[in-house]
Amino acid sequence: RKMAPVADFPGVWGKATATIDWCEENYVVTEYVAEFWNTISNLAMIIPPILAGVKAYQEKLETRYLVSFLSILVVGIGSWCFHMTLLYEMQLFDELPMIWGSCIFVFDLFHSFTPPKYQNLPMILCLVLYSFIITAVYISIKNPIFHEIAYAVLVFTLFFKSLDMLRRPNSSRALFFTALATYGTGFIIWNLDNFFCNNIREFRGTLTSPLRPLTQLHAWWHLLAGLGTYVHVLYSIQVRCSYLKWPGKVKTIVGIPYYHVSKSVEKNGPVHKD
């Protein structure tokens, strides 16, 4: 499936080999980046998880949350490389971590109300097996719709589990609905970009240069889906900390939210601060 012509202008990365090319005109801003705005918009999936990962490490949160932030970072870097080059190898670097990372998020949610250090080994095995099977089949058939369906299965699993967790005392409705609204808006925009690409391109051509980037809807998808996913991890942390009775709250640094846990960890385990 193609969203737009494979190459509008030649660039340093040569002929596009990816199975998808999005609606942004290629090599317009610079010959070094195929889809400029679709590339730099991935900063929304690079900067916040780095900051939150450092904070999670400093506050000694459970390792799975460090891995969750790392998975967002990997998707952001992979997506950057994909949209910069439009090479098939970089497309896989973007899309396959979406599957593996979402499985990590599923693991997080289903371990929200378990004792510390508890590991549901059958679930881990199922998630790893699912990721391996999707990876092998997708590399074999190279059909983007297959990847989208496999990813959607995980997204809906996360949605319904997160919704169920709202029934628990002290689960943050604000974080959940912020994540849902942000990601959901991005998903709507992603579909508009896919189905109305020609119309969007025509409209873009009528605008002055400073306004044209605002019509790069796939870039908006990166911003909104990336931030929505990030906030959802904060929601997962908040629910987990509430269960463990670790007091905490959302704080910001340079405008980026993160979940601050008011506790210290000593040799004998977590100890609440006054």
Side-chain angles (χ1 to χ4, degrees):
R1 183 176 60 165
K2 301 294 182 183
M3 303 302 180
V6 172
D8 301 285
F9 301 100
V12 298
W13 300 104
K15 181 181 178 181
T17 58
T19 60
I20 299 178
D21 187 11
W22 304 97
C23 196
E24 180 178 354
E25 296 85 350
N26 299 337
Y27 296 108
V28 171
V29 176
T30 170
E31 63 179 328
Y32 297 100
V33 180
E35 297 174 345
F36 181 82
W37 301 107
N38 287 352
T39 298
I40 65 169
S41 57
N42 285 292
L43 289 173
M45 290 181 277
I46 294 175
I47 296 175
I50 291 176
L51 182 149
V54 170
K55 289 293 183 181
Y57 176 78
Q58 291 174 342
E59 299 186 3
K60 295 181 172 59
L61 292 184
E62 291 166 300
T63 303
R64 59 176 174 263
Y65 297 113
L66 274 171
V67 177
S68 295
F69 289 127
L70 178 62
S71 70
I72 297 176
L73 174 62
V74 171
V75 171
I77 294 173
S79 183
W80 179 293
C81 294
F82 170 37
H83 291 284
M84 182 175 67
T85 66
L86 291 181
L87 298 177
Y88 175 68
E89 294 80 6
M90 296 300 103
Q91 179 182 349
L92 294 179
F93 186 20
D94 172 16
E95 294 175 333
L96 293 179
M98 292 171 64
I99 300 296
W100 288 84
S102 295
C103 284
I104 293 170
F105 304 151
V106 170
F107 174 85
D108 290 347
L109 291 190
F110 280 85
H111 283 72
S112 295
F113 309 108
T114 59
K117 298 184 179 180
Y118 171 81
Q119 303 289 339
N120 186 331
L121 294 181
M123 169 170 280
I124 294 173
L125 179 61
C126 288
L127 291 173
V128 170
L129 188 62
Y130 181 85
S131 297
F132 269 117
I133 291 173
I134 297 303
T135 298
V137 173
Y138 186 46
I139 290 175
S140 176
I141 67 175
K142 298 183 179 180
N143 187 333
I145 295 178
F146 172 79
H147 172 269
E148 291 166 8
I149 293 173
Y151 176 64
V153 169
L154 295 170
V155 170
F156 278 106
T157 301
L158 290 168
F159 169 72
F160 287 112
K161 180 60 177 176
S162 299
L163 198 62
D164 177 66
M165 287 163 55
L166 281 182
R167 299 186 300 172
R168 295 275 186 156
N170 303 319
S171 294
S172 174
R173 300 177 70 87
L175 284 175
F176 170 74
F177 285 109
T178 298
L180 178 63
T182 306
Y183 189 95
T185 302
F187 179 67
I188 292 171
I189 290 175
W190 180 81
N191 280 283
L192 291 175
D193 192 57
N194 291 349
F195 290 107
F196 300 103
C197 177
N198 291 334
N199 305 87
I200 293 169
R201 280 190 159 200
E202 290 177 7
F203 175 68
R204 186 180 300 143
T206 67
L207 300 176
T208 59
S209 295
L211 295 177
R212 290 174 185 172
L214 297 177
T215 66
Q216 300 293 353
L217 300 190
H218 194 80
W220 283 107
W221 153 251
H222 287 163
L223 292 170
L224 294 169
L227 292 175
T229 302
Y230 173 79
V231 173
H232 184 265
V233 175
L234 299 186
Y235 169 70
S236 179
I237 294 173
Q238 183 274 325
V239 172
R240 176 63 172 167
C241 289
S242 176
Y243 170 78
L244 295 174
K245 301 188 185 305
W246 293 348
K249 61 181 179 180
V250 175
K251 289 188 173 183
T252 61
I253 182 169
V254 294
I256 299 173
Y258 71 96
Y259 197 78
H260 171 69
V261 181
S262 304
K263 71 176 185 67
S264 61
V265 177
E266 299 179 351
K267 291 182 180 180
N268 294 328
V271 179
H272 292 195
K273 291 181 181 178
D274 295 330

